[in-house]
Amino acid sequence: MTGRPSLRFERSLLRERCTVLACADEVGRGALSGPVSVGVVAVTEQTRTAPQGVRDSKLLSPDARARLAPRIRRWATTHGAGYGVGHASPAEIDAVGIMAAMRLAAHRALVDLDPTPDLVLLDGNHDYLSAPAQPSLLDAPGPSFPPVVTAVKADLRCAAVAAASILAKTSRDALMVELAQEHPQYGWHENKGYASPAHVEALRRHGPSDHHRRSWSLPGCAVPAGSVPGSDTTSTIEQAVEGR
């Protein structure tokens, strides 16, 4: 799919189903280290066109994302209904698995939005936000969250979802650059925690740090003694190699 994303789909949802729509995207799901992060941009029918250049964060250079992020924050604050970014730590991912950690990060991104959205649009085809039938250890009692609609490739065709992906990506990347100062051997300032050859070799030589997802079968490391329920190790390691 090519072309500039627009607010067309978001506006259709606003006309038919809600008054405040929160558009969300996650980054870091397949990384070997660092948090999983969720960005949210909330829009209404009065929200103006997104800043020029907004695309899915994976299609933009780091410099382009850095230039766009403050423009998106101003746009979301001035012409939208706000924005947020939430993170779930490697320890939380190890404790409850990647899907529950994504839900936790999304809740953290949504909780401070005012007004509260009455619908959430998630990229993809999986609703990781809604409470599961069997809550995890991290699903503590708290405010209820709005219903969810999912859309495949929303990050490519929906401008507010693409904007959310840029906010999540720039926020998470900044955290990984900070962590790289403490652990320069893993090259996080360049690979941002994903499975680059240099990162895998550093794992082989030095073993995992406290910021690695230790419940996973980390490449270059011995398989962990026990697996964590819900950690989705196989699929997430495949994504780590692909940089998702």
Side-chain angles (χ1 to χ4, degrees), residues 14-240:
L14 286 162
R15 286 193 301 268
E16 299 167 7
R17 298 186 56 178
C18 62
T19 57
V20 179
L21 174 66
C23 303
D25 199 11
E26 56 80 21
V27 298
R29 174 178 174 178
L32 304 180
S33 58
V36 63
S37 306
V38 175
V40 173
V41 169
V43 295
T44 69
E45 283 196 274
Q46 288 71 47
T47 299
R48 297 181 182 177
T49 303
Q52 187 174 5
V54 166
R55 300 284 191 280
D56 173 23
S57 64
K58 295 186 291 296
L59 302 179
L60 297 170
S61 69
D63 286 345
R65 290 193 295 263
R67 289 193 300 269
L68 279 167
R71 295 174 58 197
I72 291 170
R73 289 191 288 267
R74 286 194 298 270
W75 167 69
T77 302
T78 305
H79 303 296
Y83 68 90
V85 177
H87 309 281
S89 70
E92 290 169 331
I93 294 170
D94 287 342
V96 297
I98 189 65
M99 290 300 175
M102 287 165 56
R103 181 165 61 254
L104 180 62
H107 283 195
R108 288 168 175 166
L110 286 164
V111 71
D112 291 329
L113 290 181
D114 187 16
T116 301
D118 39 16
L119 186 68
V120 178
L121 170 61
L122 296 180
D123 176 47
N125 59 6
H126 178 68
D127 175 9
Y128 58 82
L129 177 61
S130 301
Q134 295 182 335
S136 74
L137 296 174
L138 293 182
D139 288 315
S144 60
F145 286 89
V148 168
V149 61
T150 62
V152 175
K153 298 191 183 299
D155 53 354
L156 296 178
R157 59 193 180 101
C158 300
V161 175
S165 77
I166 292 171
L167 295 185
K169 177 66 173 168
T170 53
S171 178
R172 185 182 183 278
D173 282 0
L175 289 175
M176 296 309 298
V177 170
E178 289 183 13
L179 291 174
Q181 298 177 25
E182 303 173 18
H183 302 277
Q185 65 271 32
Y186 300 109
W188 292 335
H189 61 292
E190 293 181 342
N191 60 54
K192 306 305 187 291
Y194 289 95
S196 70
H199 190 180
V200 173
E201 175 61 17
L203 278 167
R204 187 188 68 80
R205 293 172 63 89
H206 304 286
S209 72
D210 290 341
H211 301 290
H212 281 93
R213 301 170 186 183
R214 290 171 172 259
S215 61
W216 293 15
S217 298
L218 295 170
C221 299
V223 176
S227 60
V228 175
S231 61
D232 301 327
T233 299
T234 300
S235 62
T236 46
I237 289 298
E238 290 173 354
Q239 292 164 7

